[in-house]
Amino acid sequence: MATILEKVICVTCPKGCTLEVTLEGDTIIKVENGCKRGHEYVHQELTDPRRMVASSVQVKGGLHPLLPVYTSAPFPKARIQELLSALRQVEVNTPVKMDDIVLRNALGTGIDIHASRDVKEEAITS
Amino acid sequence: MSIKDRYDVIVIGSGPGGLAAAISAKKNGAKDVLIIERDVEPGGILLQCIHNGFGVEIFKKDLPGPSYAQHFINEAFSTGVEFLLDTMVLQITPEKRITASSKRHGFVEVRTKAIVLAMGCRERTRAQIRLPGTRAAGIFTAGTAQRWVNVEGYMPGKNFVILGSGDIGMIMARRLTFEGAHVERVLEVMPYLSGLTRNYVQCLLDFDIQLQLQRTIKNIIGKKRVEAIESVAVDKKWNPIPGTEEIIPCDTLLLSVGLIPENELSRQIGVMIDPITGGPIVDDSFQTNIPGIFSAGNVVHVYDLVDWVTEAGLTAGKSAARWVSSGSQTNAINLPVRAGENVRYAVPHTIQPDHLAEGDIRVQMRVRQPIEKPVWVEVRSGEKLLHRKGEPYARPGEMVTIPIKQKLMDEVKSAKDLTIAIVER
Amino acid sequence: MIDFDVIIIGGGVIGCMTARALSRYQLKVLLIEKESDIGMGASSANSAIIHAGHDPLPGSLKAEMNIKANPMWDQLSADLGIPFKRTGAYIVAIGDEDCECLDSLLQRGRENGVACEIISAEEMRNREPLINPQVSGALFTPTAGMVDPFAACIAPLENAIENGVQVKLETAFLSFLTKDGSLTGIHTNQGDFNCHWVINAAGVYSDEILRQADPESTFTIIPRKGEYYILDKSEIQLNNILFPVPSAVSKGILVLGSTHGNVLVGPNSTIEEDREDKAVTAKGLNEIWLGAQKLVPTLQPGSIIAVFAGLRASGNAPCPDCSIDYKHDFLIEACTQLKGLINLAGIESPGLTASPAIAERVIEILQQEGLKMDLKENWNPIRKARPRFHHLSMAEQKQLLKKDPRYGRVICRCEMVTEGEIIAEIHAPLPARTYDAIKRRTWLGTGRCLGSFDMPRVIELLADETCQPVTSITKKGPGSEFLFRLTKKVEA
């Protein structure tokens, strides 16, 4: 079977190395450049691409109307839009603590969505 | 909350640099430490940077901006750092008297022994890049749009063009797409990306957002609200190439065309500013030319990673605490650190060789031109190579770091200056 | 039934000064403005100079109005709280050729009765260290000055409002109402208003209004665009007004300080067919930068904080004195074809300077035309400027903060404008209703960050104080909204 050379830019850390991957069909033969984490990334990216997703949900009673949230683990890339739609339906109440779960087992992936920060209950002032 | 009349260390700004400086000052023995912050909550711009990618160096984790900030906010409170929020510093005298005004706290006058300036930076505007066109609504800096979308909860447009491939611009392209807006194009005047490569992959490539290099904006069209922009290709000297114009309909233009350290307060006190970085000239303890006034974070030079800002803040805070306990070091020798081949600038501007007794000194720099092949980062004393470190490449969008090794103390002590250079391997 | 005695069309500096002049009399006066705020045309995009009067052709209406108005500004500034500095101005000769022109400029200045003197190159270098070292001499006109051009519109109109004048914004003149050939009112996009007298102060549109009353008129406005830079006051300080030696068509590209402390560079002069086109052009920006460097070679591009353009209402009115061959004079006269209409047209530079004298001339014309004008007994000439927190002494700042803590919250950090100041403008006699309206009144958002920091906060304040959703807050009127929808309300 013919081998294909593919270039993959690693997004694991800010270095953004370009890894050269030799493929035979779907099988990875060789990965050049990059570190150990980079090699893991390539395997993941070519078999089941995932991304960390950060967005926001609505929050009641805080200083701002939105609470920033993030995925506890990289999320399947193909389902990101679906996840974002789900998050638009979420509304939480104050007080919120960082890492509180705002959406458990999102879309059945087993990945929880966490609050990125604390939000205090604001005293109601005039 | 009651404010004391006197503090050991006052930090201006509660972004990552300010928080780290205050925590570190406290941990290193400063008794009374106060942060003055103009916003109603601590955390700075990180609070609107809700994307991931923070903390890889320090926490070995991939955190969103607000989480990164929350860790330090929590630590500041638990170490006993005091906060004066919603308060704007009006004036700082060389005797370190600070006046500030606040809706909550009224007119504030405090004295301090040491100051850490940590005001961060601001975004370059359309005027600074002399962008032609109308003054319609819908021309925003990427950071202003970020505040609206992520904090205030409003969308400032439907169809966007982003000028500049800086990190904030690319990250906003993804954020806007996430929230149902359309990003028509990202334009970059340089022949290379100005932000991090990974942001290109996960913010633009992932969402099929087109990046065009060596193109800029020739005209902004629309009298009340932006209706379109006219883009044009440029040559290497940024001259528009006739015949390459394209009208791109859009209702919003976001600018991500660089950051400038915010040093109006520093200038007012008499802190010397490096015209290249736009920030104070500092030594390796992050002290400015005025004894007892330190400076850390993006106010010194614009970093690529928040982790480095925190590190700088930690050093500045420690230095401020020491300055308070020991007074000024009068006999310190300051050895200049110069930018050599392909180095646009290097920070700190000077080092005190004695400080090597405590460990390596980190020098950070920005390169002039991208070198997409292995390079040496070199530390030289005159013609003599003291130390070098290999890097796989050097890019203007990413800062380069090299330590001045502790073991080089004797050689550094006998040097007249140090030159940092980046050369092809 | 009559709604108003006099209706003024146009809320530029001419309309606003005229409104104030009329407010002294027992008349019902209305000022209409098609935009969302006053002063949105040439009045807010000019060099902000009170000209000495050395430049206009002797005998022209421009010269007469300029010379009459110049001394009025001290009193106006004191009564109305308009920032004004009588700094004097220099027409600077660079090289020998320029120097030869100074004598003829001196002659013209003297003919106009304007104080002026020629100073040496050395003296010029002493007075303005940033001047091009190649300077060969200069003409100094001590009576020239700088004014805040926004306040020059807002202050007199607020004073007029306090003395009973009414103002309607977003109200555009469409046509005259006449009965049996005589004026009975005007038709606007907001309905009809009856009146006996109409003052046409419509800037670049003044010719269109004039021709509705007098179709045979050959008077035409050909707008000329002028582009400008504003430089950061923390980067460059220059407290003088520096003109180059003028060309046949314009006073040239100047470098000057402002009442606000920022240096202004410009304008060029290009013919613009579109009367709304205030876009800056790459060509124009290059032109003014090169022109300015002739006077101050050390200007740094890094100090630029804003660019803008304005349109001059350049007309083709002949000089009223037929013996003078001049075709670009002010047109200030009662319309011969429609009794009751007074045209103030072709008011380009020195229009800002001349505005209080033009307003006085309107009063004279109305009297000559037969309007009975009785003075009000209780007319109040004073309009107090609202406090600017940053300009106060520390003791005053403390006192103001005690009285109203909202002055403690700085919203625009570059220009140090506080929440208290913004709210005061939203509830002023002429309420600021748009972002740009607040900007013109407080100078917020004119600093180095161009509003990046203050914009979200100002929009929120405007929404809160006027009880509107933030999505309806605009930059400069309908169609210039900032925000579209809530982040989370994505249409499927």
Side-chain angles (χ1 to χ4, degrees), chain B residues 43 45 69 74 77 85 89 92 98 105 121 133 136 147 152 211 302 319 348 375 386 389 399-400 423:
Chain B
I45 295 301
N74 292 350
F77 277 107
L85 300 173
V89 172
I92 303 175
I98 297 177
H105 309 284
C121 56
R147 170 142 188 124
E152 318 255 340
L211 168 74
V302 176
S319 312
V375 293
L386 295 185
K389 179 190 163 199
M399 212 155 61
V400 178
V423 293

Side-chain angles (χ1 to χ4, degrees), chain B residues 38-40 86-91 99-104 106-109 119 121-128 130-141 143-144 147-150 152-159 175-176 178-181 218-220 222-225 251-252 262-264 267, chain C residues 35 44 229 232 234-235 274 276-282 285-286 289 301-302 304-309 389-390 394 397-398 401 405-410 412-414 416 418-419 436 439 448-453 455-457 459-460 470-471 475-488 490:
Chain B
R38 64 163 184 260
D39 209 338
V40 292
D86 197 5
T87 303
M88 181 81 174
V89 172
L90 301 175
Q91 201 186 12
T99 53
S101 79
S102 168
K103 187 174 170 181
R104 280 193 219 176
F107 202 87
V108 179
E109 291 173 279
M119 292 86 73
C121 56
R122 66 171 186 270
E123 296 175 278
R124 216 180 274 279
T125 67
R126 74 174 283 189
Q128 279 142 348
R130 298 208 240 175
L131 211 54
T134 62
R135 297 207 294 170
I139 307 162
F140 307 117
T141 60
T144 304
R147 170 142 188 124
W148 270 320
V149 176
N150 292 348
E152 318 255 340
Y154 287 96
M155 295 295 280
K158 296 172 191 158
N159 285 303
R175 262 314 283 154
L176 293 163
F178 274 9
E179 299 299 355
K218 191 182 169 188
N219 198 11
I220 302 168
K223 280 164 191 165
K224 302 228 161 186
R225 177 85 196 192
D251 54 45
T252 313
E262 179 82 335
N263 276 290
E264 276 56 41
R267 282 203 186 90
Chain C
E35 301 293 338
S44 60
Y229 286 109
D232 190 345
S234 68
E235 303 269 345
D274 184 342
E276 294 290 329
D277 187 345
K278 286 179 258 180
V280 288
T281 63
L285 291 178
N286 281 334
W289 194 251
I304 297 168
I305 53 171
V307 292
F308 67 90
F389 183 76
H390 192 48
M394 205 185 280
Q397 285 180 339
K398 280 182 190 173
L401 251 168
R406 295 176 301 184
Y407 283 90
R409 180 178 280 166
V410 175
C412 167
R413 60 192 182 187
C414 304
M416 298 297 268
T418 66
E419 186 177 308
D436 281 359
K439 178 169 155 180
R448 54 196 182 274
C449 88
L450 279 189
S452 305
F453 179 77
M455 219 181 268
R457 287 154 180 86
I459 291 166
E460 206 183 318
V470 293
T471 44
K475 183 178 191 309
K476 47 184 173 183
S480 66
E481 288 76 13
F482 288 98
L483 303 169
F484 285 102
R485 62 164 165 90
L486 290 167
T487 302
K488 294 292 157 185
V490 179

Side-chain angles (χ1 to χ4, degrees), chain C residues 90-93 99 102 117-121 124 135-140:
Chain C
Y90 299 90
I91 297 94
V92 183
C99 204
L102 288 182
E117 57 171 324
I118 288 178
I119 63 167
S120 69
M124 188 65 238
V135 57
S136 50
L139 179 75
F140 179 54

Side-chain angles (χ1 to χ4, degrees), chain A residues 8-18 37 41 45 50-57 63-71 74 77 80-81 84-85 88 96-99 114-120 122, chain B residues 40-42 47 50-53 56-57 62-68 70-71 74 147-154 174-175 177-180 196-202 205-207 305 391-393 395 398:
Chain A
V8 176
I9 302 168
C10 175
V11 301
T12 309
C13 84
K15 275 194 172 168
C17 303
T18 304
R37 284 164 72 203
Y41 171 78
E45 183 69 8
R50 287 170 180 249
R51 295 287 183 268
M52 289 296 282
V53 177
S55 186
S56 54
V57 298
L63 186 63
H64 307 296
L66 297 179
L67 167 70
V69 298
Y70 70 113
T71 51
K77 199 177 142 186
I80 290 177
Q81 285 303 338
L84 293 167
S85 304
R88 276 180 211 125
V96 179
K97 280 282 181 198
M98 172 170 66
D99 292 334
H114 291 273
S116 303
R117 57 169 291 182
D118 295 0
V119 181
K120 278 189 300 190
E122 286 301 302
Chain B
V40 292
E41 56 182 349
L47 299 181
I50 68 168
H51 53 279
N52 285 74
V56 179
E57 300 285 333
D62 185 3
L63 298 174
S67 297
Y68 187 94
Q70 190 76 57
H71 279 108
N74 292 350
R147 170 142 188 124
W148 270 320
V149 176
N150 292 348
V151 180
E152 318 255 340
Y154 287 96
R174 178 179 58 183
R175 262 314 283 154
T177 309
F178 274 9
E179 299 299 355
L196 299 173
T197 313
R198 71 162 179 180
N199 282 332
Y200 169 63
V201 175
Q202 53 188 8
L205 274 187
D206 274 3
F207 302 96
L305 291 185
E391 289 285 352
Y393 54 79
R395 295 172 186 156
E398 298 169 33

Side-chain angles (χ1 to χ4, degrees), chain C residues 176-226:
Chain C
F176 290 106
L177 302 175
T178 55
K179 197 179 173 190
D180 306 329
S182 62
L183 181 65
T184 59
I186 60 168
H187 173 56
T188 77
N189 63 340
Q190 305 288 337
D192 293 350
F193 302 100
N194 294 328
C195 65
H196 291 304
W197 304 89
V198 172
I199 316 289
N200 169 15
V204 288
Y205 294 99
S206 55
D207 59 338
E208 291 179 4
I209 292 174
L210 182 153
R211 279 202 304 270
Q212 280 204 29
D214 180 5
E216 304 295 305
S217 171
T218 55
F219 178 77
T220 311
I221 300 272
I222 298 165
R224 280 184 306 119
K225 186 187 276 185

Side-chain angles (χ1 to χ4, degrees), chain C residues 360-419:
Chain C
E360 290 307 316
R361 177 60 55 90
V362 171
I363 305 292
E364 290 164 24
I365 294 173
L366 286 171
Q367 282 167 337
Q368 286 161 14
E369 291 289 302
L371 176 61
K372 186 169 166 290
M373 300 178 76
D374 297 320
L375 285 167
K376 280 178 189 159
E377 275 171 27
N378 56 351
W379 184 68
N380 175 15
I382 305 297
R383 173 262 183 194
K384 268 200 182 142
R386 288 174 285 279
R388 291 283 161 251
F389 183 76
H390 192 48
H391 297 160
L392 302 177
S393 70
M394 205 185 280
E396 290 169 323
Q397 285 180 339
K398 280 182 190 173
Q399 209 179 0
L400 182 60
L401 251 168
K402 241 178 223 164
K403 216 175 80 188
D404 187 345
R406 295 176 301 184
Y407 283 90
R409 180 178 280 166
V410 175
I411 301 289
C412 167
R413 60 192 182 187
C414 304
E415 299 303 316
M416 298 297 268
V417 180
T418 66
E419 186 177 308

